[in-house]
Amino acid sequence: MAANEGPTRPLEVLGKPLCRVDALGKVTGETRFADDLSMPGMLHLKLVRSTVPHARIVGIGTEKALALPGVRAVLTGAEFPIPFGILPVSQDEHALCPDKVRFVGDPVAAVVASDELTAEEAARLVDVRYEPLATIASPEQALKVPEPRIHDYGDGGNIHKAVAFDFGDVPAALDDAHAVFEDTFFYQGNTHLALEQHAALAHVGTDGRVTIASSTQTPHYLHRAAAKVLGVPASRVRIIAPPQGGGFGGKTEPFSHEIVAAKAAMLTGRPVKVS
């Protein structure tokens, strides 16, 4: 044995079939994910999402939904004037759209009911009237269409930021290169599809603290956004992140349904679940 070598030890982890510490709870069904959670007196929430890609919201008719037995409340963008976002430069998201939708699926309203099926039925009864705006489907089209703007921030029109970088003698580098390749690459968008979809349960305790249990990968981001949008001190907001059935980065930002469920719990005084 060399002077600088210590005694060898057998590997204790690598290459050995060790049991996961959370395996037993998962294979027996004891582990509770966000959608497994429930509370006495719990109400159910469903979002009403935009059916058009880009439009102004002219009006939202809630009368038919409110008239359905079992419906407790219908929320619109008027309840969420404070914007939020994942980045400092993009604080222009709203839990429910107040005046304009920017993609198919943008949340416009929310229905709270005594059971999930009633909430789904009531959501279909909410009448949203739109004034269509130009649909911008590609970066190339966005460069040609400065108005209407999809986002109000940025350097102008539908350009978020115009920056040019030039380091060193680029023409000389290209001339001296062994080979120069020019092409245009297009990669179709995709989204993560975890076995466990999004779900959240919110309630207000007897001490007035708002608790949100959500299938989130970033409880601290959600904590900050929820406190801001709800107008509640951060010390009065608690976030619980239960075990997850997959995320892959698809749950790494605050989402509308989490904040809307919390607002609904504050308005109704009942636990509210969305899934």
Coordinates of all heavy atoms in Angstrom, one line a residue, residues 91-135:
Q91 N -43.9 41.2 -14.0 CA -45.0 41.1 -13.0 C -46.3 41.6 -13.6 O -46.9 42.6 -13.3 CB -44.6 42.0 -11.8 CG -43.4 41.6 -11.1 CD -43.6 40.4 -10.2 OE1 -44.6 40.3 -9.4 NE2 -42.8 39.4 -10.4
D92 N -46.8 40.8 -14.6 CA -48.0 41.2 -15.3 C -49.0 40.1 -15.4 O -49.9 40.1 -16.2 CB -47.7 41.8 -16.7 CG -47.2 40.7 -17.6 OD1 -46.7 39.7 -17.2 OD2 -47.3 40.9 -18.9
E93 N -48.9 39.1 -14.6 CA -49.9 38.0 -14.5 C -50.9 38.4 -13.5 O -50.7 39.0 -12.5 CB -49.2 36.7 -14.1 CG -48.2 36.2 -15.1 CD -47.6 34.8 -14.7 OE1 -48.4 33.9 -14.4 OE2 -46.4 34.7 -14.5
H94 N -52.2 37.9 -13.8 CA -53.2 38.1 -12.8 C -53.8 36.7 -12.6 O -53.9 35.9 -13.4 CB -54.3 39.0 -13.4 CG -53.9 40.5 -13.4 ND1 -53.2 41.0 -14.4 CD2 -54.1 41.4 -12.5 CE1 -52.9 42.3 -14.1 NE2 -53.5 42.6 -12.9
A95 N -54.3 36.5 -11.3 CA -54.9 35.2 -11.0 C -56.1 34.9 -11.8 O -56.3 33.8 -12.3 CB -55.2 35.2 -9.5
L96 N -56.9 35.9 -12.1 CA -57.9 35.9 -13.1 C -57.8 37.1 -14.0 O -57.6 38.2 -13.5 CB -59.3 35.8 -12.5 CG -59.6 34.6 -11.6 CD1 -61.0 34.7 -11.0 CD2 -59.6 33.3 -12.5
C97 N -57.9 36.9 -15.3 CA -57.7 38.1 -16.2 C -58.7 39.2 -16.0 O -59.9 38.9 -16.0 CB -57.8 37.6 -17.7 SG -56.6 36.3 -18.1
P98 N -58.2 40.4 -15.8 CA -59.2 41.5 -15.5 C -59.7 42.1 -16.8 O -60.9 42.6 -16.7 CB -58.3 42.5 -14.8 CG -56.9 42.3 -15.3 CD -56.8 40.8 -15.6
D99 N -59.0 42.2 -17.9 CA -59.5 42.9 -19.0 C -59.1 42.2 -20.4 O -59.7 42.5 -21.4 CB -59.0 44.3 -19.0 CG -57.5 44.4 -18.9 OD1 -56.8 43.4 -19.0 OD2 -57.0 45.5 -18.6
K100 N -58.1 41.4 -20.4 CA -57.6 40.8 -21.7 C -57.1 39.4 -21.5 O -56.5 39.1 -20.4 CB -56.5 41.7 -22.2 CG -56.0 41.3 -23.6 CD -55.0 42.3 -24.2 CE -53.7 42.4 -23.4 NZ -52.7 43.2 -24.1
V101 N -57.3 38.5 -22.4 CA -56.7 37.2 -22.4 C -55.6 37.1 -23.5 O -55.7 37.8 -24.5 CB -57.8 36.1 -22.7 CG1 -58.9 36.1 -21.6 CG2 -58.5 36.3 -24.0
R102 N -54.6 36.3 -23.2 CA -53.5 36.3 -24.1 C -53.2 34.9 -24.6 O -52.2 34.7 -25.4 CB -52.2 36.8 -23.3 CG -52.3 38.3 -23.0 CD -51.1 38.8 -22.3 NE -51.1 38.4 -20.9 CZ -50.4 39.0 -19.9 NH1 -49.8 40.1 -20.2 NH2 -50.5 38.6 -18.7
F103 N -54.0 33.9 -24.3 CA -53.8 32.6 -24.9 C -55.0 31.8 -24.5 O -55.8 32.1 -23.6 CB -52.5 31.9 -24.3 CG -52.5 31.7 -22.8 CD1 -53.0 30.6 -22.2 CD2 -51.9 32.7 -22.0 CE1 -53.0 30.4 -20.9 CE2 -51.9 32.5 -20.7 CZ -52.4 31.4 -20.1
V104 N -55.3 30.7 -25.3 CA -56.4 29.8 -25.1 C -56.1 29.1 -23.8 O -55.0 28.5 -23.6 CB -56.5 28.8 -26.2 CG1 -57.5 27.7 -25.8 CG2 -56.9 29.5 -27.5
G105 N -57.0 29.2 -22.8 CA -56.7 28.6 -21.5 C -56.4 29.6 -20.4 O -56.3 29.2 -19.3
D106 N -56.3 30.9 -20.8 CA -56.0 31.9 -19.8 C -57.2 31.9 -18.8 O -58.4 32.0 -19.3 CB -55.9 33.3 -20.5 CG -54.8 34.1 -19.9 OD1 -54.2 33.7 -18.9 OD2 -54.5 35.2 -20.5
P107 N -57.0 31.9 -17.5 CA -58.2 31.8 -16.6 C -58.9 33.2 -16.5 O -58.3 34.2 -16.3 CB -57.5 31.5 -15.2 CG -56.1 32.0 -15.4 CD -55.7 31.8 -16.8
V108 N -60.2 33.1 -16.6 CA -61.0 34.3 -16.7 C -61.9 34.4 -15.5 O -62.2 35.5 -15.0 CB -61.9 34.3 -18.0 CG1 -62.8 35.5 -18.1 CG2 -61.0 34.3 -19.2
A109 N -62.4 33.3 -15.0 CA -63.4 33.3 -13.8 C -63.2 32.0 -13.1 O -62.5 31.1 -13.6 CB -64.8 33.5 -14.3
A110 N -63.8 32.0 -11.9 CA -63.7 30.8 -11.1 C -65.1 30.5 -10.4 O -65.7 31.5 -10.0 CB -62.6 30.8 -10.1
V111 N -65.5 29.3 -10.3 CA -66.8 28.9 -9.7 C -66.5 28.1 -8.5 O -65.7 27.2 -8.5 CB -67.7 28.2 -10.7 CG1 -68.9 27.7 -10.0 CG2 -68.0 29.0 -11.9
V112 N -67.1 28.4 -7.4 CA -67.0 27.7 -6.1 C -68.3 27.0 -5.8 O -69.4 27.7 -5.8 CB -66.6 28.6 -5.0 CG1 -66.3 27.8 -3.7 CG2 -65.3 29.4 -5.4
A113 N -68.3 25.7 -5.6 CA -69.6 25.0 -5.4 C -69.4 23.9 -4.3 O -68.3 23.6 -3.9 CB -70.1 24.4 -6.6
S114 N -70.5 23.3 -3.9 CA -70.5 22.4 -2.8 C -69.9 21.0 -3.2 O -69.4 20.3 -2.4 CB -71.9 22.1 -2.3 OG -72.8 21.7 -3.3
D115 N -69.8 20.7 -4.5 CA -69.2 19.5 -5.0 C -68.6 19.8 -6.3 O -68.9 20.8 -7.0 CB -70.2 18.4 -5.1 CG -71.4 18.6 -6.0 OD1 -71.2 18.4 -7.2 OD2 -72.4 19.2 -5.6
E116 N -67.7 18.8 -6.7 CA -66.9 19.1 -8.0 C -67.8 19.1 -9.2 O -67.6 19.9 -10.1 CB -65.8 18.0 -8.0 CG -64.8 18.3 -9.1 CD -63.6 17.3 -9.0 OE1 -63.7 16.4 -8.2 OE2 -62.6 17.5 -9.8
L117 N -68.8 18.2 -9.3 CA -69.6 18.1 -10.5 C -70.4 19.4 -10.7 O -70.6 19.9 -11.8 CB -70.5 16.9 -10.5 CG -69.8 15.5 -10.6 CD1 -70.8 14.4 -10.5 CD2 -69.0 15.4 -11.9
T118 N -70.9 19.9 -9.6 CA -71.7 21.2 -9.7 C -70.8 22.3 -10.1 O -71.2 23.2 -10.9 CB -72.3 21.5 -8.3 OG1 -73.2 20.4 -7.9 CG2 -73.1 22.8 -8.4
A119 N -69.6 22.3 -9.6 CA -68.6 23.4 -10.0 C -68.3 23.3 -11.5 O -68.3 24.3 -12.2 CB -67.4 23.3 -9.2
E120 N -68.2 22.1 -12.0 CA -67.9 21.9 -13.4 C -69.1 22.4 -14.3 O -68.9 23.1 -15.3 CB -67.6 20.5 -13.7 CG -66.2 20.0 -13.2 CD -66.0 18.5 -13.6 OE1 -66.9 17.9 -14.1 OE2 -64.9 18.1 -13.4
E121 N -70.3 22.0 -13.8 CA -71.5 22.4 -14.6 C -71.7 23.9 -14.5 O -72.0 24.6 -15.5 CB -72.7 21.7 -14.0 CG -74.0 22.1 -14.7 CD -75.2 21.3 -14.2 OE1 -75.1 20.5 -13.2 OE2 -76.4 21.6 -14.6
A122 N -71.4 24.5 -13.4 CA -71.6 26.0 -13.2 C -70.6 26.7 -14.1 O -70.9 27.8 -14.6 CB -71.5 26.4 -11.8
A123 N -69.4 26.2 -14.2 CA -68.3 26.8 -15.0 C -68.7 26.9 -16.4 O -68.4 27.9 -17.1 CB -67.0 26.0 -14.8
R124 N -69.5 25.9 -16.9 CA -69.9 26.0 -18.3 C -71.0 27.0 -18.5 O -71.3 27.4 -19.6 CB -70.4 24.6 -18.7 CG -69.3 23.6 -18.9 CD -69.8 22.3 -19.6 NE -70.6 21.5 -18.7 CZ -70.2 20.6 -17.9 NH1 -68.9 20.3 -17.9 NH2 -71.0 19.9 -17.1
L125 N -71.7 27.4 -17.4 CA -72.8 28.4 -17.5 C -72.3 29.9 -17.4 O -73.0 30.8 -17.7 CB -73.8 28.2 -16.4 CG -74.5 26.8 -16.4 CD1 -75.4 26.7 -15.2 CD2 -75.3 26.7 -17.7
V126 N -71.0 30.1 -17.1 CA -70.5 31.4 -17.1 C -70.3 31.9 -18.5 O -69.7 31.3 -19.4 CB -69.1 31.5 -16.4 CG1 -68.5 32.9 -16.5 CG2 -69.3 31.0 -14.9
D127 N -70.9 33.1 -18.8 CA -70.9 33.6 -20.2 C -69.9 34.7 -20.3 O -70.1 35.8 -19.8 CB -72.3 34.1 -20.5 CG -72.4 34.7 -21.9 OD1 -71.6 34.3 -22.8 OD2 -73.3 35.6 -22.1
V128 N -68.8 34.4 -21.0 CA -67.7 35.4 -21.2 C -67.8 35.9 -22.6 O -67.8 35.2 -23.6 CB -66.3 34.8 -21.0 CG1 -65.3 35.9 -21.1 CG2 -66.3 34.1 -19.6
R129 N -67.9 37.2 -22.8 CA -68.0 37.9 -24.1 C -66.7 38.5 -24.4 O -66.1 39.3 -23.6 CB -69.1 38.9 -24.1 CG -70.5 38.3 -23.8 CD -71.6 39.3 -23.9 NE -71.5 40.3 -22.9 CZ -71.8 40.2 -21.6 NH1 -72.3 39.0 -21.2 NH2 -71.7 41.2 -20.8
Y130 N -66.2 38.3 -25.6 CA -64.9 38.7 -26.0 C -64.9 39.7 -27.2 O -65.8 39.5 -28.1 CB -64.0 37.5 -26.4 CG -63.7 36.6 -25.3 CD1 -64.4 35.3 -25.2 CD2 -62.8 36.8 -24.3 CE1 -64.2 34.4 -24.2 CE2 -62.5 35.9 -23.3 CZ -63.2 34.7 -23.3 OH -63.0 33.8 -22.3
E131 N -64.0 40.6 -27.3 CA -63.7 41.3 -28.5 C -62.4 40.9 -29.0 O -61.3 41.2 -28.5 CB -63.6 42.8 -28.2 CG -63.3 43.7 -29.4 CD -63.0 45.1 -29.0 OE1 -63.6 45.6 -28.0 OE2 -62.2 45.8 -29.6
P132 N -62.4 40.1 -30.1 CA -61.1 39.5 -30.6 C -60.1 40.5 -31.0 O -60.4 41.6 -31.5 CB -61.6 38.7 -31.9 CG -63.0 38.5 -31.7 CD -63.5 39.7 -30.9
L133 N -58.8 40.2 -30.7 CA -57.7 40.9 -31.0 C -56.8 40.1 -32.0 O -57.0 38.9 -32.1 CB -56.8 41.3 -29.8 CG -57.5 42.3 -28.8 CD1 -56.7 42.4 -27.5 CD2 -57.8 43.6 -29.4
A134 N -55.9 40.8 -32.6 CA -55.0 40.0 -33.6 C -54.3 38.9 -32.9 O -53.7 39.1 -31.8 CB -54.0 41.0 -34.2
T135 N -54.3 37.7 -33.5 CA -53.6 36.6 -33.0 C -52.2 36.6 -33.5 O -51.9 36.6 -34.7 CB -54.3 35.3 -33.4 OG1 -55.6 35.3 -32.9 CG2 -53.5 34.1 -32.9

